Amino acid sequence: YFRGRNRRFQAVVQGKFKKGLLVSDVITGHEFDRPLKRLPRSWIMNAGTSLIRRLSPGVQINLIQDRPQAMSILAATAQAVNVSTSETEPAITDNII
């Protein structure tokens, strides 16, 4: 995963969904319990979030509220996704996933 690439972080999740889901319903992101402090001016925030929404249409960004959040479809943010049956799933401790 890291060999020959400028990657510094890896998150591996392995499991089985209890029921069928659409890929577009599996999301990842950040949720905060308190408002963010010392944000840039609103026109900078609006320009930045507008650019991010153009680059990633499925993203949901709400940073100027009591409980800020930034969410996106997991498959759209991942650099690598492996979908396997339980018989062929890799061990999550392997170097190659």
Side-chain angles (χ1 to χ4, degrees):
Y1 182 77
F2 291 98
R3 189 176 306 143
R5 296 190 173 115
N6 191 21
R7 295 180 180 167
R8 308 257 189 272
F9 176 78
Q10 174 178 320
V12 178
V13 177
Q14 188 175 56
K16 185 175 183 179
F17 291 105
K18 292 182 178 182
K19 62 180 183 176
L21 292 173
L22 297 173
V23 171
S24 60
D25 289 339
V26 182
I27 60 171
T28 185
H30 302 281
E31 294 179 313
F32 302 94
D33 291 332
R34 297 184 293 265
L36 299 174
K37 296 180 180 180
R38 295 186 294 213
L39 292 172
R41 296 179 185 252
S42 62
W43 68 269
I44 295 173
M45 294 292 293
N46 291 336
T49 55
S50 177
L51 175 64
I52 291 169
R53 285 186 180 115
R54 283 191 183 150
L55 296 173
S56 182
V59 74
Q60 300 171 7
I61 302 173
N62 300 304
L63 298 177
I64 306 171
Q65 60 182 16
D66 290 338
R67 296 180 62 119
Q69 62 177 327
M71 302 297 217
S72 188
I73 298 168
L74 178 62
T77 62
Q79 293 179 347
V81 175
N82 180 321
V83 179
S84 304
T85 62
S86 57
E87 297 83 27
T88 62
E89 67 187 14
I92 63 172
T93 56
D94 288 350
N95 288 333
I96 301 172
I97 293 186

